[in-house]
Amino acid sequence: MAKIKPSKGAPYARILGVGGYRPVRVVPNEVILETIDSSDEWIRSRSGIETRHWANDEETVAAMSVEAAGKAIADAGITAEQVGAVVVSTVSHFKQTPAVATEIADKLGTAKAAAFDISAGCAGFGYGLTLAKGMVVEGSAEYVLVIGVERLSDLTDLEDRATAFLFGDGAGAVVVGPSQEPAIGPTVWGSEGDKSETIKQTVPWTDYRTGEVAKFPAITQEGQAVFRWAVFEMAKVAQQALEAAGIGSDELDVFIPHQANERIIDSMVKTLKLPESVMVARDVRTTGNTSAASIPLAMERLLATGEAKSGDTALVIGFGAGLVYAATVVTLP
């Protein structure tokens, strides 16, 4: 019986660079109030959101991804030709096939990198990061580009008082590569499909195509159910990720949760009993909920402003439609 030659990957993997792109147009709450009966104070008190970015016609999913990825590649100190795989998490690329990752890989100038899309909602970045770590350690790619990108303005019902103010557009990217020491901890991830109705697309695309509904499909959610799940269940997952990495909350430098809602973030910080010394990402205030893009965008901003620094230990957790979740501890690039 022939023996298969073992893979030769790196001992460990780490995030080597990060980049982000936010669309030019900044949309304040006043614009949202043109189509829903609410107030700026109500939106801020319920979500913490003050502004969000909406993409124009030129700021496509691919275009925003290329901008963010280019910055991440430069930050990592490598070239596009060295990227062996491109993983893109998105729910707002409206071509069923081909994967937008293939277009991005080509535009970046990779040397025919493996490229594919994943659909894991707001946990998509964590899913992609886990896949990238596996590729680097297994040896199928030396450097992997992980992109979270959304144009959620295309899937927002501006007349839905519960969600019209939540969503924004943007792209965040990281380069994952070899490391001689652990820098991406074990991932605690999973799904709760029995709760899938709490965050969903209003109707299937086929209903719109056949004329059964006149309104373009949008994202809707049961706000209170999502809030309770995120606060109580995801705090447990975050704690499990810390334990899996062998990190105590007093050893943590940064907390980067999915930027869904500032009330959820505050509640998770309280439940986890994080020390005041831990820097907490609050990018949601000016970027809104960008789903798969929210964690890398928040990470980039913290590093750019100096609120977090290279080498810091960060807990990241994403959670959303599915319901799906993924949490891990990383060393910041």
Side-chain angles (χ1 to χ4, degrees):
M1 181 182 293
K3 291 185 178 181
I4 297 174
K5 184 178 179 181
S7 301
K8 291 184 178 180
Y12 306 102
R14 68 181 302 120
I15 299 174
L16 298 173
V18 60
Y21 180 83
R22 293 172 173 82
V24 174
R25 184 187 177 193
V26 177
V27 180
N29 288 337
E30 285 73 19
V31 172
I32 306 299
L33 297 175
E34 294 173 4
T35 52
I36 61 170
D37 180 16
S38 188
S39 69
D40 177 63
E41 189 278 332
W42 187 89
I43 293 174
R44 292 184 188 225
S45 66
R46 293 301 180 96
S47 68
I49 298 172
E50 303 167 8
T51 62
R52 73 284 292 147
H53 295 256
W54 283 356
N56 59 35
D57 291 344
E58 286 72 42
E59 291 167 320
T60 64
V61 165
M64 292 190 293
S65 296
V66 169
E67 290 291 330
K71 294 176 183 177
I73 290 169
D75 192 43
I78 65 170
T79 64
E81 290 85 353
Q82 292 175 274
V83 173
V86 178
V87 183
V88 178
S89 178
T90 185
V91 299
S92 47
H93 174 60
F94 294 145
K95 287 184 179 179
Q96 194 69 37
T97 193
V100 72
T102 59
E103 178 183 350
I104 295 165
D106 177 63
K107 288 184 175 179
L108 286 170
T110 66
K112 299 182 179 179
F116 58 96
D117 299 349
I118 60 174
S119 177
C122 305
F125 175 75
Y127 276 44
L129 188 64
T130 303
L131 294 173
K133 173 186 173 183
M135 289 183 226
V136 171
V137 173
E138 186 271 339
S140 58
E142 185 176 12
Y143 299 101
V144 180
L145 184 62
V146 180
I147 302 169
V149 56
E150 301 292 1
R151 272 183 55 123
L152 294 182
S153 58
D154 293 333
L155 286 168
T156 299
D157 180 354
L158 293 178
E159 296 178 346
D160 180 1
R161 190 172 184 269
T163 60
F165 59 91
L166 285 176
F167 302 120
D169 303 337
V174 299
V175 172
V176 177
S179 174
Q180 292 304 308
E181 59 185 30
I184 301 175
T187 300
V188 177
W189 58 351
S191 66
E192 298 185 34
D194 60 314
K195 299 181 181 67
S196 61
E197 291 295 301
T198 56
I199 307 174
K200 64 180 182 179
Q201 183 172 304
T202 49
V203 295
W205 299 115
T206 49
D207 286 4
Y208 181 74
R209 183 186 66 186
T210 59
E212 292 181 50
V213 294
K215 181 177 282 190
F216 193 75
I219 297 173
T220 186
Q221 68 176 30
E222 298 174 15
Q224 288 303 314
V226 173
F227 182 89
R228 289 192 297 270
W229 176 77
V231 169
F232 297 108
E233 297 304 320
M234 292 305 97
K236 297 176 186 176
V237 171
Q239 184 61 49
Q240 290 169 14
L242 287 173
E243 293 170 359
I247 299 293
S249 60
D250 58 336
E251 298 176 278
L252 199 62
D253 299 308
V254 185
F255 179 41
I256 312 178
H258 165 49
Q259 302 294 290
N261 179 308
E262 192 165 36
R263 288 176 62 204
I264 291 175
I265 294 171
D266 288 340
S267 295
M268 290 184 72
V269 168
K270 184 178 180 180
T271 302
L272 288 167
K273 298 179 181 179
L274 296 183
E276 291 186 5
S277 59
V278 176
M279 172 55 61
V280 179
R282 299 183 185 278
D283 195 44
V284 66
R285 293 173 179 171
T286 56
T287 307
N289 180 343
T290 56
S291 189
S294 80
I295 291 175
L297 278 173
M299 183 184 294
E300 185 226 21
R301 174 161 282 171
L302 288 175
L303 289 167
T305 59
E307 295 172 281
K309 61 184 185 298
S310 174
D312 278 353
T313 300
L315 168 63
V316 299
I317 178 170
F319 44 86
L323 294 168
V324 295
Y325 55 88
T328 188
V329 175
V330 303
T331 301
L332 295 182

